Amino acid sequence: MFVQELEPVADSLALSALVAALPLAAVLILLGVVRMKAHLAGLVGLAVAVLVAWFTYGMPIGQTLSAGVQGVLFGLFPIMWIVVNALWVYRMTVRTRHFDILRRSFGRLSDDPRIQALVIAFCFGALLEALAGFGAPVAICSVMLVALGFDPVRAAVVALVANTAPVAFGAMGTPVVTLAQVTGVPLDTVASVVGRQTPLLALLVPLILVGLVDGRRGLRETWVPALVCGIAFAAAQFAVSNFLSAQLADIAASLVGAAALVAVPSARRPAAEPVRAAVLTGVRSEDLDGEDPRREVVRAYAPYALIVVIFSLAQLPPVKDLFAKATQTFDWPFLDVADPAGKPVGSNVFSLPLVATGGTLVLVAGLFAAAVLGVRAPDAVREWGATVRELRYAILTVTSVLALAYVMNLSGQAATIGYFVAAAGAGLAFLSPILGWFGVAVSGSDTSANALFGALQVTAARESGLSPGLLAAANSSGGVLGKMISPQNLTIACAAVGLAGREGDVLRKVLPWSLGLLLVMCLIVTAQSTPVLGWMLP
């Protein structure tokens, strides 16, 4: 058995924490300063983590490598398994041109560009985040807005700012699932606390979006539908994440938010021509004027409806019990680790939910969707293979970062940093979201930031007397606000709308919103750590 040591360097917690932070520093410097590709930076960081675990912490090389392999497997299944299958469904809609029909359908809901921004960037973007995440909502929504006549810079900014509130529950809850896995805090606890933080952002984001689209006039004329949309989204995200399923939180929130928005009478009124002339300064796509048969419109919406239905059925008690029986649990080979107190760590045992995982459910929905869309089996298989090829670097990035996180967590590096950070005391609650924000700003992924800093947050919380669930959730909730300024997302947004090389222009427009909303989240978490808002916690 390998027993973790907190102070392996000269019996000093400060020096040990400095050495333990080397893998994280390597990744952050290579990404933020050297501007190395994310998958290469992840591999270098993993190598540094292995060396620190082996030479400094004395973790046997066999156990060190075994810990890394467990992280790789978790990165592949369930994380990238979800992303691959979700993007596969999207690619099939593009192949059959049903995505164009969907885009035209959204364009006909309202001719007011401020309402279009809410429907597409906020509601549909949240649905895409729920299904896929990892940059897909920003790319797809910004392209749709440009097709409607939005200026490319404005379209990119709107798509980036909108991609906040749903991120923590994106890709079928992948960030919070990862957070629970690496911290040992139950998923229900993590999801419940995040579901009492990010909905507060959802109240503000729609108002910010209409302001970005049309300034003060946009706020003055469309604040009612924006606020109704935000309240409906927030209520659904809170209720589903706390009482039903983390995987369904964003799906429900996006659909309820869209329904509430469309139900507001003022949202369906034609926009005044001065508004359209001021906002729609780009070139409108000509194919938006065509009419589509009702049957084809239904088929365009069918893939997303199928995913919602299948995930809802999976939450029924008899189905959940059946899935639980199919989950494989076994002792992870070549791994026998105890924490500093001598208690075996949870990662010695590994669970493999072959059927119950979100990726498998999306795959099943995708098979039905292929039949509904008329995609032949060989073509569907080719699209799945093309999706894997498209995501090959993202797969390598996620697996290397998860392997790094597992090596740091199991060798004791994360615990050392956590004990050292705990010295911040009461100020830790304010700083906690900033750490998650920084991690996402650099890595571009709330999942990766949770894997990197989740265990550290929990250790620090326990040492400082704060709620582990609160700080773990704060890492993810603060992280969602770093996504709009991450180089990865900025590059995706600019490439999608033909602004390659102008990432700096877009960054200057979204940075104030990222920092402003981060301050709001820091204040929320700080208040939740005290009696002021402590009543909000489960």
Side-chain angles (χ1 to χ4, degrees):
M1 176 179 284
F2 167 70
V3 180
Q4 297 172 350
E5 188 178 353
L6 291 177
E7 302 175 349
V9 181
D11 292 326
S12 167
L13 184 62
L15 290 176
S16 299
L18 189 64
V19 174
L22 288 176
L24 297 176
V27 173
L28 299 178
I29 291 171
L30 290 175
L31 281 173
V33 180
V34 181
R35 296 187 179 277
M36 181 180 285
K37 298 288 187 183
H39 62 281
L40 296 177
L43 290 172
V44 173
L46 172 59
V48 175
V50 168
L51 293 174
V52 171
W54 187 15
F55 289 111
T56 303
Y57 281 79
M59 189 178 193
I61 188 62
Q63 296 212 48
T64 302
L65 296 177
S66 179
V69 171
Q70 186 177 148
V72 169
L73 180 57
F74 184 68
L76 291 173
F77 191 96
I79 293 178
M80 293 311 297
W81 179 237
I82 296 171
V83 178
V84 166
N85 289 322
L87 284 181
W88 170 59
V89 174
Y90 162 69
R91 285 179 66 99
M92 287 193 293
T93 66
V94 172
R95 180 187 181 93
T96 59
R97 297 192 175 277
H98 283 90
F99 183 74
D100 293 334
I101 296 172
L102 193 68
R103 184 179 62 180
R104 287 192 287 271
S105 175
F106 286 155
R108 284 191 289 269
L109 286 175
S110 172
D111 72 344
D112 189 327
R114 300 163 298 189
I115 302 302
Q116 289 173 343
L118 294 178
V119 171
I120 294 172
F122 188 69
C123 298
F124 186 59
L127 181 60
L128 292 173
E129 183 67 37
L131 301 179
F134 293 89
V138 170
I140 295 168
C141 293
S142 57
V143 168
M144 293 178 73
L145 291 174
V146 168
L148 290 171
F150 278 67
D151 170 73
V153 172
R154 182 176 285 160
V157 170
V158 168
L160 285 165
V161 174
N163 191 219
T164 49
V167 168
F169 296 106
M172 298 301 176
T174 296
V176 291
V177 169
T178 302
L179 189 60
Q181 180 77 14
V182 301
T183 61
V185 178
L187 175 59
D188 289 345
T189 300
V190 171
S192 293
V193 181
V194 173
R196 296 163 194 242
Q197 294 172 344
T198 56
L200 299 176
L201 295 177
L203 298 174
L204 301 176
V205 172
L207 295 169
I208 293 172
L209 293 180
V210 296
L212 286 172
V213 172
D214 194 29
R216 293 181 179 177
R217 178 176 59 187
L219 267 175
R220 186 174 64 252
E221 296 181 358
T222 57
W223 69 269
V224 172
L227 188 59
V228 168
C229 178
I231 291 174
F233 185 102
Q237 191 182 60
F238 160 73
V240 176
S241 63
N242 274 265
F243 306 114
L244 185 58
S245 165
Q247 288 85 351
L248 289 175
D250 278 350
I251 292 177
S254 61
L255 297 176
V256 171
L261 175 62
V262 174
V264 178
S266 60
R268 300 193 300 275
R269 292 175 191 153
E273 192 54 40
V275 173
R276 291 179 55 79
V279 175
L280 302 180
T281 55
V283 179
R284 190 171 186 269
S285 177
E286 294 180 0
D287 69 355
L288 291 174
D289 297 324
E291 288 291 333
D292 299 300
R294 184 180 297 274
R295 179 171 177 271
E296 295 304 314
V297 174
V298 171
R299 291 174 72 188
Y301 281 91
Y304 306 103
L306 284 167
I307 291 174
V308 173
V309 169
I310 287 175
F311 267 82
S312 299
L313 291 175
Q315 303 307 312
L316 297 176
V319 180
K320 291 181 75 170
D321 293 341
L322 186 63
F323 284 171
K325 294 177 182 177
T327 299
Q328 302 294 315
T329 302
F330 54 90
D331 292 332
W332 186 257
F334 309 111
L335 196 64
D336 189 10
V337 179
D339 63 21
K343 298 179 181 178
V345 299
S347 294
N348 291 332
V349 178
F350 190 79
S351 294
L352 197 61
L354 295 172
V355 181
T357 187
T360 302
L361 298 177
V362 174
L363 177 64
V364 173
L367 294 175
F368 284 110
V372 172
L373 296 173
V375 180
R376 296 184 306 117
D379 292 334
V381 172
R382 277 193 291 270
E383 286 295 334
W384 195 91
T387 304
V388 173
R389 286 194 299 274
E390 179 184 338
L391 291 172
R392 60 190 183 278
Y393 292 121
I395 292 172
L396 186 54
T397 299
V398 170
T399 52
S400 61
V401 168
L402 263 296
L404 181 157
Y406 270 64
V407 170
M408 288 190 65
N409 293 344
L410 289 170
S411 66
Q413 295 173 59
T416 296
I417 300 172
Y419 276 81
F420 180 72
V421 171
L428 185 59
F430 185 88
L431 296 174
S432 185
I434 298 176
L435 191 59
W437 173 86
F438 184 68
V440 177
V442 173
S443 70
S445 165
D446 200 36
T447 298
S448 296
N450 286 344
L452 289 172
F453 299 130
L456 183 158
Q457 297 264 25
V458 167
T459 301
R462 287 174 176 149
E463 287 305 301
S464 60
L466 295 172
S467 163
L470 174 62
L471 293 203
N475 193 83
S476 193
S477 298
V480 307
L481 301 168
K483 194 150 189 180
M484 71 177 82
I485 64 167
S486 70
Q488 173 184 310
N489 255 26
L490 287 169
T491 301
I492 289 172
C494 290
V497 298
L499 295 175
R502 294 186 58 187
E503 289 84 358
D505 295 339
V506 176
L507 173 62
R508 282 190 289 274
K509 291 182 178 295
V510 298
L511 182 59
W513 296 110
S514 177
L515 294 174
L517 289 172
L518 175 62
L519 176 60
V520 171
M521 183 54 65
C522 289
L523 294 175
I524 290 171
V525 174
T526 302
Q528 287 180 333
S529 69
T530 70
V532 175
L533 290 182
W535 52 268
M536 289 182 64
L537 299 181

